[in-house]
Amino acid sequence: MPPSPCRALRRDDYLPLEPTDCRHHVLAYLNGQYLPRSAASIPVEDRGFVFGDGVYEVWRVVNGRLFETARHLARLSHGLSELRISEPDLVRRDVLDEVANRLLSESGLLEGEATLYVEVTRGVAPRTHQFPPAGTKPTVFAMVNRFVPPNDLRARGASAITTPDVRWLRCDIKTIQLLPNVMAKQAAAERGATEAIMIRDGVVTEGSHANVFGVLDGEIRTHPLGNLILPGITRTIVLELANALSIPIREDAFTEPDIGRLDECFLAGTTTDVMPIVRVNDRPIGRGTPGPIATRLFTEFRAHLDASCAAMPASP
Ligand code: PDD
């Protein structure tokens, strides 16, 4: 493994989150090499750049330990196989652990909270829509960032807008083609809201970067798995926790008109944890404050996140 050209990074190098003149010290992994993020560059004919032809994953990291590695790797592997992109070594758990550990340790992120971002594209080739010649190597990129959980927002409760779900019909694949999600989130931001809840054929699918849940008639409701939503890892854990707490669950989508009748609404995602939504389109949900089910599920989720990361052996 080549020696890192970076000095050990200090925690301050990550804050503020916007680029600073320290940015060139931020380490990245690109195609087997470790290098300052500012020096990591992708050829303009990378199919990720030209076509959005690739997939990604985002892990939560607590004290240097990756949360739910196996489930994230399985989803990455599913996406690669559906898109017929050959699976790089990084999809092997031992390789991922080694890369993540080096990025985290050299970035001063072995303590506290962070995220790991991994992206795999179909590689670099002259621009033709069809696949490049067999043997074209996928581009493999990874980076880590300090993460600050949005706990103040959680205590107040977030707001959302609704927006049409204009995405393609393979939302189960975590592709880097995120333009509808970007436009949805921007529309939310422009209306002073945190998240955009997407509606397809009158039903709530998911948020721009989180799954959406409602509490209706005493049941937790969320869109079923399938091609219309991302099978969120946090979604699975929330359902497991709700099940353990004997809270009734129905994996059945609720409709846009149902939103007005919800007792609670919340999001679940890697960078969201469990986040109560207290207003949708400027109308309160329930009493307009975080509800008991979302609050309980967040407490349980946080405990599970901390306990499962603490139980993991330290990386090599
Ligand atoms: N987004 N739905 C969508 C459309 C997402 O992009 C995400 C995650 C989720 C939640 O999945 P998980 O619980 O596995 O994070 C649901 C990541 C965090 C992102 O794009 O940054």
Side-chain angles (χ1 to χ4, degrees):
M1 201 179 290
S4 163
C6 296
R7 67 167 167 77
L9 294 165
R10 291 184 308 263
R11 179 171 296 196
D12 288 353
D13 290 348
Y14 290 84
L15 297 169
L17 294 173
E18 292 307 313
T20 68
D21 55 3
C22 293
R23 197 169 168 79
H24 62 283
H25 295 302
V26 177
L27 200 61
Y29 170 90
L30 181 62
N31 298 328
Q33 285 205 308
Y34 295 90
L35 66 178
R37 200 181 296 175
S38 59
S41 58
I42 308 280
V44 291
E45 287 179 309
D46 191 284
R47 291 182 62 100
F49 177 62
V50 176
F51 292 117
D53 188 354
V55 287
Y56 76 107
E57 274 298 325
V58 184
W59 269 260
R60 188 65 169 275
V61 184
V62 178
N63 293 329
R65 270 56 167 253
L66 270 52
F67 182 53
E68 291 290 351
T69 300
R71 280 172 165 155
H72 282 280
L73 282 181
R75 188 169 65 187
L76 186 56
S77 191
H78 165 77
L80 289 167
S81 126
E82 290 299 294
L83 300 180
R84 295 159 57 197
I85 296 176
S86 58
E87 206 163 283
D89 281 353
L90 195 69
V91 182
R92 271 180 28 213
R93 189 177 182 136
D94 56 333
V95 178
L96 180 84
D97 278 343
E98 189 183 312
V99 169
N101 193 50
R102 173 126 182 229
L103 290 174
L104 291 163
S105 68
E106 296 211 19
S107 308
L109 290 173
L110 283 177
E111 278 173 29
E113 307 238 14
T115 55
L116 166 70
Y117 175 88
V118 168
E119 178 173 327
V120 181
T121 79
R122 205 183 298 276
V124 181
R127 184 181 182 278
T128 57
H129 286 68
Q130 72 202 59
F131 291 176
T136 302
K137 277 208 161 105
T139 298
V140 184
F141 172 70
M143 63 180 171
V144 290
N145 284 297
R146 163 107 7 238
F147 180 68
V148 180
N151 289 331
D152 290 349
L153 180 63
R154 190 171 355 262
R156 291 193 306 275
S159 58
I161 60 162
T162 53
T163 190
D165 189 343
V166 298
R167 298 175 301 164
W168 73 333
L169 295 174
R170 290 306 307 273
C171 299
D172 55 311
I173 305 173
K174 200 163 169 57
T175 82
I176 57 174
Q177 300 185 316
L178 289 173
L179 203 44
N181 311 56
V182 166
M183 298 306 285
K185 176 80 178 180
Q186 179 63 20
E190 286 174 4
R191 286 174 53 188
T194 310
E195 180 55 301
I197 293 176
M198 295 191 275
I199 313 283
R200 192 192 293 264
D201 295 333
V203 307
V204 170
T205 51
E206 61 184 328
S208 72
H209 64 296
N211 292 108
V212 177
F213 295 72
V215 177
L216 191 64
D217 304 328
E219 285 178 324
I220 293 183
R221 297 273 296 274
T222 195
H223 198 289
L225 295 182
N227 63 317
L228 297 183
I229 65 162
L230 187 79
I233 312 294
T234 321
R235 175 190 182 280
T236 301
I237 295 165
V238 161
L239 292 177
E240 288 169 358
L241 293 171
N243 208 21
L245 293 169
S246 303
I247 304 171
I249 299 162
R250 188 139 62 95
E251 288 186 65
D252 187 12
F254 54 97
T255 65
E256 187 166 28
D258 284 338
I259 294 175
R261 300 199 296 123
L262 293 178
D263 293 320
E264 295 187 40
C265 183
F266 55 94
L267 304 170
T270 293
T271 52
T272 320
D273 298 329
V274 177
M275 173 66 74
I277 298 285
V278 296
R279 296 185 76 79
V280 176
N281 294 335
D282 291 325
R283 295 222 181 88
I285 299 293
R287 297 198 182 136
T289 53
I293 292 182
T295 303
R296 180 77 201 273
L297 285 171
F298 169 69
T299 306
E300 296 289 328
F301 178 80
R302 183 72 237 192
H304 174 72
L305 170 65
D306 288 333
S308 62
C309 289
M312 257 178 257
S315 300

